[in-house]
Amino acid sequence: MLPARTPIIPALGSGDEVPQFGHGLVGAALAIATSRDPTSPRLRQAWLGTGVLLGYWPDIAEWGLTLCGVRLPHAAPASIWCAAASVLLVVGLLRGGFGEKSRLTLLAATLMIASHSLLDGVSGGIPLWWPIDSGVTGPDWLGLDNLPLDRRLRAETLAFVPVLAIGLAVRAVRRRPPAVAVAAALAAAAAAVISAGLGSVVGVLMATAALILEKFWFFRSVGSPRPTLESPSDTEVRRYGLVEPRWALNLVPLMPVILLAAVQVYAWRNIHAGLTAMQRGDFETGLQCNREAARFRPVDLEATARYRVAECQLHLGRFVEAHEGFRLGRAEFPGCVMFLDGLAQVYLAADDPALRRPSEALALALEAQERSRDPAYRRWIQQFIDQARAAGGTSGEKGRP
């Protein structure tokens, strides 16, 4: 069995280093910058909520398909081909369903969807060419890998709140308010970017100041008709309630995001409770907690929950069930290295001759060590490699599913 360690629970993810609330901030920034461009009265009223929804679109699509029983490789909806299909679908819906004519609005919607693929791609990788190729590719430029919750939230805040401030500044410049307001918004955005680069919370405070500064103008004007021929008629205002309440309409596109966030938090709480039980040796409780965590199939946490379920079964001596759990996890989450070390544990610890395969355990451990970018994990699994070799494993064989 692998050497003892304290299991790492990623901040809000399952070994995927993707941003959590950064997608929403980017979508909101683009919506704020183009808040007066939608020509459709209904779309203009809910444009901010729509921006956040489109920022999370691939995650929402993956979660919805998973709930319907359609299992795709993790982050497959963020691939180039799927993102292109999503853009065509959304642009067609905006034009055909809402009668949207603004090219800038349609371009902003495209960028909102594309931003998700870009951020996931530079923070751990995605199956870029799926369904042609399921290989996960991409650098880890954001450095969110296995950060504790507080550090992860701070890192994402410093990285993405400046983007929101820039959106406010762009909106202020495009609206042409008094020069003082433009200067203040630009200064806040610049200070946020510079401070975030220095790792300071001043950027967050300055971005918040920009939000407060713009609050009066933004809340009054977002969703209000422009003095053009496309402005809504009195009949449309009465029919659609375009005057008040404006912000309530943003809750409609936000509902899928809110539901997904609730599922993520629910799963994280159960995984944390399961980890606590596992650390005190209560693997039955840990098993139940992690099964509950996977119940609603959270996008970024299901892999962690299912790994912990199989890990508890392994510690309880249920090697056949543990092997099946790790095997299915490896097939369904090919980007998660942890299922490799899970299978390796089974192949070295099982008392069933059909499952005891030291050579395959060694091969899987070597593969996990090679694929991992975490120095601590690589050092930890090296201890297992030494054990597998001592148990009779040979490095010339490759592991099999």
Side-chain angles (χ1 to χ4, degrees):
M1 186 173 296
L2 282 173
R5 66 164 175 166
T6 300
I8 298 175
I9 295 294
L12 292 172
S14 62
D16 301 305
E17 301 81 27
V18 297
Q20 299 298 321
F21 65 87
H23 294 303
L25 291 184
V26 172
L30 288 167
I32 289 173
T34 58
S35 60
R36 294 176 64 84
D37 289 292
T39 57
S40 166
R42 289 171 292 182
L43 183 60
R44 190 184 305 124
Q45 290 294 317
W47 186 230
L48 182 61
T50 301
V52 176
L53 172 64
L54 295 182
Y56 283 107
W57 181 269
D59 283 348
I60 297 296
E62 181 179 349
W63 183 49
L65 290 172
T66 302
L67 290 177
C68 294
V70 180
R71 171 69 70 182
L72 302 178
H74 181 53
S79 71
I80 289 179
W81 301 113
C82 290
S86 295
V87 168
L88 293 176
L89 175 64
V90 170
V91 169
L93 178 61
L94 295 182
R95 287 185 63 87
F98 290 87
E100 182 56 48
K101 301 176 182 178
S102 169
R103 293 182 179 179
L104 189 57
T105 300
L106 299 178
L107 175 61
T110 300
L111 293 177
M112 291 167 185
I113 296 174
S115 68
H116 190 109
S117 299
L118 176 63
L119 292 178
D120 282 6
V122 301
S123 57
I126 58 175
L128 189 63
W129 300 106
W130 189 88
I132 297 176
D133 182 7
S134 297
V136 177
T137 59
D140 182 19
W141 288 349
L142 296 183
L144 302 176
D145 189 4
N146 287 331
L147 287 179
L149 179 59
D150 55 341
R151 291 178 57 194
R152 185 187 181 108
L153 294 179
R154 180 175 181 272
E156 289 200 39
T157 300
L158 293 175
F160 295 108
V161 168
V163 177
L164 187 63
I166 292 173
L168 286 166
V170 170
R171 178 182 174 279
V173 172
R174 294 188 66 206
R175 286 190 62 221
R176 298 180 182 177
V180 175
V182 176
L186 287 174
V193 173
I194 294 172
S195 299
L198 297 175
S200 170
V201 295
V202 176
V204 180
L205 297 177
M206 294 302 295
T208 303
L211 282 168
I212 296 174
L213 180 68
E214 277 280 293
K215 180 178 182 299
F216 177 73
W217 294 312
F218 185 59
F219 273 65
R220 283 187 55 188
S221 63
V222 102
S224 60
R226 297 179 297 175
T228 65
L229 294 177
E230 290 86 7
S231 299
S233 64
D234 292 340
T235 301
E236 289 176 316
V237 169
R238 289 192 300 271
R239 179 179 301 172
Y240 300 119
L242 297 183
V243 178
E244 296 293 346
R246 294 172 179 170
W247 289 96
L249 292 178
N250 283 285
L251 293 176
V252 176
L254 280 177
M255 283 308 299
V257 179
I258 294 172
L259 289 174
L260 178 57
V263 167
Q264 296 287 102
V265 172
Y266 179 78
W268 189 88
R269 289 173 62 89
N270 276 284
I271 288 177
H272 184 74
L275 174 61
T276 302
M278 292 168 66
Q279 288 175 331
R280 67 172 183 262
D282 185 359
F283 294 104
E284 282 289 356
T285 300
L287 179 65
Q288 297 304 318
C289 287
N290 284 288
R291 278 178 172 167
E292 189 65 21
R295 179 180 177 185
F296 300 108
R297 300 187 173 182
V299 171
D300 288 328
L301 284 166
E302 185 180 4
T304 294
R306 289 179 55 178
Y307 174 84
R308 298 297 179 207
V309 166
E311 190 176 31
C312 288
Q313 291 170 334
L314 176 64
H315 283 281
L316 291 169
R318 304 170 188 172
F319 296 110
V320 175
E321 296 177 14
H323 174 263
E324 185 67 7
F326 288 133
R327 187 188 66 81
L328 291 176
R330 182 189 182 189
E332 296 179 16
F333 303 95
C336 294
V337 177
M338 56 188 175
F339 288 105
L340 298 179
D341 76 53
L343 281 172
Q345 292 183 67
V346 173
Y347 290 150
L348 195 62
D351 50 13
D352 185 348
L355 290 178
R356 185 168 177 82
R357 309 168 190 170
S359 295
E360 294 190 23
L362 175 59
L364 288 168
L366 289 170
E367 182 181 350
Q369 186 183 52
E370 180 182 357
R371 289 176 54 184
S372 176
R373 291 188 293 256
D374 184 354
Y377 179 85
R378 290 169 61 87
R379 289 193 300 270
W380 168 74
I381 205 169
Q382 180 61 47
Q383 301 175 52
F384 174 80
I385 292 172
D386 296 337
Q387 290 184 9
R389 284 176 175 156
T394 60
S395 60
E397 297 180 30
K398 292 184 178 180
R400 61 188 176 189

